[in-house]
Amino acid sequence: MSERYDFVSIEARAKSKWAPEMYRVSEDRQARKFYCLEMFPYPSGALHMGHVRNYSIGDVLARFLRMNGYNVLHPMGWDAFGLPAENAAIQHGTHPARWTWSNIAHMKSQFGMLGTSYDWDREVTTARPDYYRWTQWLFLLMYGRGLAYRKRAAVNWCPKCATVLANEQVEGGLCWRCDSAVGLRELEQWFLKITDYADRLLSDLDRLPGWPERVRTMQENWIGRSEGVELVFPVAGTGEPIPVFTTRHDTVYGATYLVLSPEHPLVDILLARHPDPETAAFVRRARATDPSRRTDEDLVKEGIATGARALNAFSGEEIPIWIGNYVVHAYGTGAVMGVPAHDQRDLEFAGKYGLPVRVVIQDPGHTLTASTLREAYVEAGTMVASGPFTGLPNSEGKERIADFAEKHGLGQRRVNYRLRDWLISRQRYWGVPIPVVYCDHCGIVPVPEDQLPVVLPLDIEVAPGPSPLAQLDAFINTHCPSCGGAARREVDTMDTFIDSSWYFLRYCSPGDQERAFDPRKADYWMPVDQYTGGIEHAILHLLYSRFITKVVHDAGLLKVDEPFVRLLTQGMVVHHGAKMSKSKGNVVSPDLLVKQYGADALRLLILFAAPPEKDLEWSEAGVEGASRFLQRVFRVVTAHAEEEDGPGSSLDGAAEELVRFVHRTVKRVSEDVGRRRSFNTAISALMELTNAIYRYRDQVPRPHRAATTEALEKLVLMLAPFAPHLGEELWERLGNKGSVHLQAWPGYDQHLAASGDLIVVVQVDGKVRERLTVPAELGMVEVQVLAMASERVQAHLAGKTIQRVVAVPGKLINIVTS
RNA sequence: GCCGGGAUGGCGGAACUGGCAGACGCAGGGGACUUAAAAUCCUCCGGGUUGACGCCCGUGCCGGUUCGAGUCCGGCUCCCGGCACCA
C-alpha cells in the first residue's frame, strides 16, 4: 500500500523547516545581484487570485535566480494608505488604521500559506511614520528643486470620493476608483512638475527594451509629444498678441479665423470691451460644462463670434476671432487657428457658421476646390495661394514658414505635450500629510526636514463628508517654522501614488533612520531587474515611479535614472469571461483552494494554465490536473526512495536515453524560466520528464539506480521553485540534507543533451513522406542516402527528376523535383 | 480616426531563428484493475477518405515571396487594449 500525497502535512512540515533568515540578504559585492520585485498590494482585506498570480510569478523567479547563484533581493510590503480604509471605517465604525493593520496581518499570513520567499526584514508599510516621514522628505526635495508648486486651477473632482484627482486617475471622464462622473472645481492645489520631465520620460522609453511594447506605447500616447510652431496673431486695433499652437503651420495662409477656448483670458477682456449678453451667456454655459462631457465625441461644436478681429501676418488679412466650446484650454495656448480646408473639425465649424474656406495645399492627384470640399484635405501636397511659399512641397514649406516666423518675430518652434502636471493634493484623511504650513507673514513655508514627520493624528472620528483633518484644530494650529508666529497646517494629504513611487528605494535600506535610503545600498541593488505587476498600472504607477526616480537621480542621490529594467505585466485572472469581483459573484477564494488542493497545486496551476502576460480563465478542473501531476511526482519519488539501494540493472540504452532526456529537460526549463519567462512551457517540460521517468521504470525490471536518482533529483530541484513545499519534502526523501531552496540549480551537459537518436523528416516537394530515426552523430550526407533508400520516398519520386535537395542538419531533408 | 496587441482542435495552450502543426494539460470515448466505486494504469481523440499501408485538406480571409509559411511581405475581416475636438 503506497503512501498518498498528503499536502496538508507536507506543506506544514516544509514551512516549519524554513527559517526567516533563509531569504535574508545583504549587499555582497562578490555576488551578482538580482532585484526581483512584485508590485506591493494595497491591504484591502485578503489576497485574491490576481495577487496569487502576481506573487507566484515573482516567487518562482526569485527562487530560480537564488538557485542560480544570484544574490536576490525579494522584498514585500504594503501600499497602506488609501481611501478604502476610510470608507471601511465609515461603514464598520472602525478606525482606518485598525482596519489597515488587521488586513495586513491577515494578508501576511496568506503569504505564509502560499510559501513565498520574501526577506520580511525589509517589509515596508507606507502608512507608518517611519516610512511616510521620507515621503514627506521627498516632497520637500521636490519643493526645493522647484518641482512642487501650488496653483489655483480647475481640477478634476470626484463627488463620491470627495477629493480631487490627477489626470491619470480619470478614465473616460470617470473616477478610476469608483467610476463616478468627475466634475471640475476651481481650487488651489499642490502639483508636481512632471511636465518638466516629459521629454526624458518619453525618450528614455527607448532605453527600456525589457518592457512590453504595449506599455511603452501607452506611456508614449499619454505623454503625447507634438512638434509645431507657436504663431502670434495680434488683435486688430489694440495689438494684444494671441499665440496659437499649430503643427500645420504650412497651412497658415488658409487660416480664415481664430478660436479661443471659453477660459481664455482674452475672452473677458474682449467681452468687457464690447459687452454682449448673448456672448456672455455662451461663455458661461461653455465654462460650466464638466470635463467628462466636454471631451465627449458627441458634444456639438458650438461657437460665437466676438466681433473682434486679428491680423494674419502671413496673408495680411484680418480674420474674425471666435470663441468655441471644443478648444481645450489646458493644451497649447488655449487658442487655435481655423484652417477649414485642411482640418476636418475646422471644416465642420466653418460650414456651420459660414466662415470662408481656402485651399492652400493642393492634392497632386486631383485639384481641390474650396466650394466643393466635403472632407478636409490633410495629406501632403503642393502649397498654393501661400505668398512666397507657393509652389513648395508642404513638407519643405513647413520648415521655411517656421524659419520665417522665427526670423520675423511672428512665432517660434515649440514642442507641446498632452501630459499635465501631477495634481497630488487629496482632501482625505488616510494619507501622508503634505509637510507645509501657511503663515500670514511668510506665506507658504515648508516644514523643515528636522521637524519631520508631520504626524498624521490617529485620535479622530472618520465620518462622511470633509476630511477630519480639516476640522482638527490641534492639528491645524501650529507655529510658523520661519517666524515663529501663528500658522495653519496644510490639511490635505498626498496622492497615495507618491507613496508607491519610491518604495523600491526604501527596500534597499528599510531601517535607515537618517535618510529615505542609503545611496550606497541603493546603488548596489538598483535598478529593479525584474518588476512584475498588473497592466492597469501601465501609466499611473509606472510613469510616476520613473519620474520620481529621475528626480532623485538629478538630485545626485542615485546612480540610475530608470527604476525598472525588465517589466512583466501579468494578465488578469478571469472567471466566466469576466474579471473576478464581488459584485459579479464570480470570485474564487485562494484560501479555499489551498485547503482543497494545497498551495503548491494552486501555484502550479496558475503558472501552467496560460502564459504570464495573457488573461487566465479560471478552471476548477485545471487545479485537479495540477494536483494530479504533483501526486505523480510524489509517488515516483517515494517508490524510488523505498526501493532497495543497489546498482540496479546495468546502464543500458533505455537508461542512457533517460539521462539524455534529463539533460535536455534541464536545458529547456533553464531557458524557459531564465531567458523566456515562459513558466507554462517550463512546467510542461517537467511533466514530460515525469512521464519519461515513469515510462523508463515500466520498461525495465530493475531501474538503473544512479540514472534514476539523477533524474528524480533534477526533477525535484527544478520543481522546487514552482512547488516549494513538495520540493522540500521530496528532496529530503531522496536522502539529501539541507533545504532544496539553498541548492544549486541543476546543470546540463550540452553534448549529452544534443546526443541520442533524433527524427529527421524527409519531404518530397515540401510534403512529409518519411520520418527517419537516426543517431544525432550521423552526417547529413549519410542521412540523405538513407532517405533516398526509403521505399516511401522512392514511391513519391517515381517518374520524377530530382532538381535539388535541401538538407537542414538534424531536422529535415527536402527532395525537390522539377 | 490614430497607435499597439491578437485570432491555432471541444477547451487552456505549444511550435523560441522560416523546417514534423496541435507538445503539455483539461474535457470526452474505449479498455484493464475492482463485488462495486474512487484512485491508478493502458489506449483513442482536427476534418475528409480508405479494408489497410496510405492519400487529400487544415493555423481568421484573399494574394505573394520561398525548396518549404502558423511564423516573412501586401491587402482585408473580426476581437482586445490605449489615446482621442490635443489643433
Side-chain angles (χ1 to χ4, degrees), chain A residues 449-654:
Chain A
E449 264 181 51
D450 58 14
Q451 290 174 32
L452 296 183
V454 175
V455 177
L456 182 72
L458 292 176
D459 54 336
I460 46 93
E461 276 292 316
V462 182
S467 156
L469 274 192
Q471 304 158 62
L472 197 67
D473 291 340
F475 176 76
I476 297 170
N477 296 322
T478 186
H479 301 286
C480 172
S482 181
C483 70
R488 288 162 295 110
R489 278 196 196 283
E490 168 67 66
V491 296
D492 284 350
T493 52
M494 289 186 225
D495 182 2
T496 53
F497 276 99
I498 302 184
D499 309 352
S500 54
S501 62
W502 73 278
Y503 77 113
F504 44 90
L505 296 175
R506 186 67 184 169
Y507 279 140
C508 298
S509 50
D512 203 312
Q513 301 288 305
E514 307 301 317
R515 59 214 142 164
F517 58 92
D518 181 338
R520 282 191 53 244
K521 294 181 173 176
D523 284 338
Y524 174 81
W525 290 113
M526 287 295 289
V528 172
D529 295 279
Q530 173 75 58
Y531 197 30
T532 309
I535 185 74
E536 66 273 18
H537 288 112
I539 295 170
L540 291 158
H541 164 63
L542 291 169
L543 188 67
Y544 294 148
S545 297
R546 294 182 60 219
F547 166 50
I548 296 295
T549 301
K550 286 179 190 303
V551 171
V552 172
H553 167 86
D554 287 355
L557 299 168
L558 187 68
K559 275 192 193 140
V560 301
D561 70 341
E562 279 292 342
F564 315 124
V565 175
R566 200 163 160 175
L567 177 70
L568 198 162
T569 48
Q570 105 255 2
M572 288 189 303
V573 180
V574 299
H575 196 205
H576 300 138
K579 183 178 178 170
M580 285 190 189
S581 78
K582 277 181 205 154
S583 60
K584 291 195 192 81
N586 61 349
V587 176
V588 177
S589 150
D591 302 66
L592 209 66
L593 287 159
V594 169
K595 235 180 229 131
Q596 282 177 334
Y597 302 97
D600 285 343
L602 176 59
R603 291 170 55 125
L604 193 77
L605 170 77
I606 215 156
L607 293 167
F608 176 65
E613 55 292 321
K614 274 191 79 165
D615 282 355
L616 185 155
E617 172 67 35
W618 176 255
S619 109
E620 188 79 21
V623 73
E624 282 181 34
S627 172
R628 207 173 299 158
F629 165 64
L630 294 178
Q631 290 181 43
R632 266 171 77 73
V633 177
F634 177 83
R635 273 200 312 271
V636 70
V637 171
T638 309
H640 175 79
E642 284 168 358
E643 275 160 18
E644 221 170 289
D645 215 357
S649 55
S650 62
L651 189 69
D652 55 3

Side-chain angles (χ1 to χ4, degrees), chain A residues 668-689:
Chain A
R668 274 177 71 189
V669 175
S670 304
E671 284 174 5
D672 280 355
V673 179
R675 173 174 58 88
R676 305 208 303 147
R677 306 277 192 262
S678 175
F679 309 108
N680 53 330
T681 53
I683 293 167
S684 79
L686 293 178
M687 288 173 168
E688 284 180 65
L689 175 57

Side-chain angles (χ1 to χ4, degrees), chain A residues 780-795:
Chain A
M780 280 318 266
V781 177
E782 285 86 346
V783 176
Q784 199 172 317
V785 171
L786 286 174
M788 289 299 184
S790 155
E791 257 175 63
R792 283 185 201 158
V793 173
Q794 278 304 322

